[in-house]
């Protein structure tokens, strides 16, 4: 059986096609195809609160392509979730209708649901019950933070602070302060907190640090990488360091967000398990079918 997961983000749109092994216990899935299209809907949504005609048309074309690919792979079930950019766009509902016509049903989800789906990638199953974890997902338009203790969710909050918003100068000092205050208030009673980071940027930062998925990256190392990348111009990050064009700019504000949260929450290390919204969507589909 194959499932499909579509993540319509502020920076990129992703399709994950996964093969589900129903005979395993617990049920597991293997990634068969992962396609990423850098549409950058956030550039329109955060500045103009409206998706422009060219990006609107490219969005519909991308969904048509994803539908065709899922047909070829014989995907039996899928879920498509749109996040911060589509939440902010005044024509988000119009885009949803246009995509329905090409066979893709999209849910525009709020920040709390986004966070729940992301950590539904069953990361909590691998958590040490004696430890406290701060789960941080940094996207193009929003940052979701969740606190876990005893492998249970204690608190969760979504902030309108993301890499595209920062690049477009649409972030606000009060949002930064609100995020720092929330982290301070929810972490102050714990001595040792372990960081879990998700999103394409922390995955790339972890790879630059030559860290494996299960190996923690220290605050000092992340800061050193941030300073190293920031010492290069955008052009040189692309041509000298070999970063993709749509990664070379967003990786700097992403590192800034992670470092800010780690500093305020006194996190010494962070692990990047390299899962994201699409992984959580596949797991959500598996869980929904188990309940049925």
């Amino acid at each position: 059986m194959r499932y499909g997961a579509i993540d319509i983000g502020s920076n990129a749109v992703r399709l994950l096609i996964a093969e589900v092994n129903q005979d395993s216990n617990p049920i597991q899935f293997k990634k068969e195809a992962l396609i990423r299209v850098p549409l950058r809907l956030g550039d329109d949504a955060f500045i103009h609160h409206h998706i422009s005609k060219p990006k609107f048309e490219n969005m519909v074309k991308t969904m048509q392509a994803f539908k065709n690919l899922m047909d070829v792979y014989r995907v039996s079930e899928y879920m498509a979730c749109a996040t911060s950019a589509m939440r902010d766009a005044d024509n988000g509902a119009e885009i949803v209708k246009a995509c329905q016509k090409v066979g893709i049903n999209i849910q525009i989800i709020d920040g709390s649901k986004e966070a729940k789906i992301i950590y539904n990638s069953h990361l909590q199953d691998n958590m040490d019950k004696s430890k406290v974890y701060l789960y941080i997902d940094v996207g193009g338009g929003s940052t979701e933070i969740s606190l876990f203790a005893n492998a249970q969710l204690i608190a969760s909050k979504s902030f309108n602070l993301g890499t595209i918003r920062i690049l477009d100068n649409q972030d606000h000092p009060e949002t930064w302060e609100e995020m720092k205050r929330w982290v301070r208030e929810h972490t102050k009673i714990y001595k040792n907190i372990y960081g879990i980071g998700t999103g394409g940027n922390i995955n790339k930062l972890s790879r630059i640090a030559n860290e494996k998925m299960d190996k923690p990256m220290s605050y000092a190392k992340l800061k050193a990488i941030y300073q190293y990348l920031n010492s290069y111009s955008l052009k040189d990050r692309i041509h000298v360091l070999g970063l993709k064009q749509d990664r070379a700019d967003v990786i700097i504000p992403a590192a800034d967000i992670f470092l800010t949260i780690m500093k305020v929450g006194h996190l010494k290390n962070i692990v990047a398990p390299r899962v994201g919204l699409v992984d959580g969507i596949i797991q959500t589909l598996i869980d929904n079918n188990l309940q049925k």
Side-chain angles (χ1 to χ4, degrees):
M1 185 178 287
R2 291 188 182 95
Y3 289 157
I6 298 173
D7 167 14
I8 300 157
S10 306
N11 187 27
V13 178
R14 296 173 183 82
L15 166 66
L16 170 63
I17 295 172
E19 185 175 359
V20 179
N21 181 2
Q22 293 180 302
D23 296 327
S24 61
N25 188 18
I27 293 174
Q28 295 178 331
F29 65 87
K30 181 178 71 175
K31 298 180 183 183
E32 285 209 320
L34 179 61
I35 297 95
R36 179 178 181 276
V37 183
L39 288 185
R40 285 256 165 129
L41 298 177
D43 280 337
D44 285 352
F46 304 141
I47 296 173
H48 306 294
H49 303 287
H50 186 88
I51 305 297
S52 63
K53 187 180 178 182
K55 292 199 178 188
F56 190 130
E57 290 173 349
N58 284 338
M59 172 71 177
V60 176
K61 287 176 186 175
T62 301
M63 291 303 107
Q64 177 71 74
F66 284 2
K67 173 70 167 59
N68 292 340
L69 277 169
M70 287 195 292
D71 288 346
V72 170
Y73 274 92
R74 295 179 183 175
V75 167
S76 59
E77 198 170 342
Y78 77 93
M79 184 187 293
C81 295
T83 57
S84 191
M86 290 277 278
R87 289 197 292 264
D88 279 24
D90 60 11
N91 58 340
E94 198 181 327
I95 294 172
V96 169
K97 283 184 182 177
C99 292
Q100 279 177 337
K101 290 178 181 176
V102 298
I104 296 293
N105 294 311
I106 298 168
Q107 304 174 40
I108 299 178
I109 59 173
D110 62 24
S112 61
K113 186 169 183 180
E114 183 180 352
K116 284 176 186 175
I117 292 173
I118 292 165
Y119 60 68
N120 196 35
S121 50
H122 279 194
L123 283 178
Q124 63 266 44
D125 292 349
N126 300 316
M127 289 179 182
D128 185 333
K129 289 189 178 182
S130 66
K131 293 179 179 178
V132 179
Y133 297 90
L134 197 65
Y135 193 111
I136 309 156
D137 180 77
V138 175
S142 63
T143 294
E144 279 69 44
I145 310 176
S146 303
L147 182 71
F148 287 86
N150 301 316
Q152 298 294 318
L153 176 65
I154 305 300
S156 185
K157 179 84 172 172
S158 178
F159 300 91
N160 280 338
L161 191 64
T163 58
I164 304 295
R165 281 191 201 271
I166 294 170
L167 289 176
D168 290 341
N169 295 312
Q170 298 302 306
D171 58 316
H172 305 291
E174 54 267 31
T175 311
W176 281 95
E177 287 308 313
E178 182 193 4
M179 183 182 74
K180 288 191 274 188
R181 188 166 55 251
W182 189 94
V183 172
R184 261 190 227 104
E185 287 174 359
H186 287 85
T187 59
K188 63 185 178 184
I189 64 169
Y190 301 104
K191 274 191 177 180
N192 296 310
I193 301 175
Y194 297 82
I196 300 174
T198 55
N201 290 296
I202 194 68
N203 293 344
K204 187 63 181 177
L205 289 162
S206 176
R207 288 188 180 97
I208 292 171
N210 293 318
E211 304 292 18
K212 294 180 180 177
M213 286 188 290
D214 58 348
K215 190 175 178 184
M217 179 168 49
S218 69
Y219 173 86
K221 186 143 194 187
L222 180 57
K223 189 173 183 179
I225 291 168
Y226 167 72
Q227 291 171 338
Y228 167 73
L229 292 172
N230 212 16
S231 69
Y232 285 84
S233 66
L234 174 60
K235 187 177 178 182
D236 285 345
R237 268 179 251 142
I238 297 166
H239 298 294
V240 178
L241 300 182
L243 294 179
K244 288 181 180 177
Q245 188 170 348
D246 66 305
R247 178 70 64 206
D249 54 356
V250 293
I251 201 166
I252 299 298
D256 193 12
I257 294 172
F258 279 109
L259 286 168
T260 299
I261 294 169
M262 289 180 75
K263 185 177 182 180
V264 172
H266 303 289
L267 277 65
K268 293 179 182 177
N269 299 291
I270 191 165
V271 171
R274 294 174 197 166
V275 296
L277 186 64
V278 286
D279 302 85
I281 289 172
I282 297 292
Q283 192 60 56
T284 299
L285 289 170
I286 291 170
D287 292 347
N288 289 347
N289 280 301
L290 276 175
Q291 288 171 11
K292 288 176 187 176

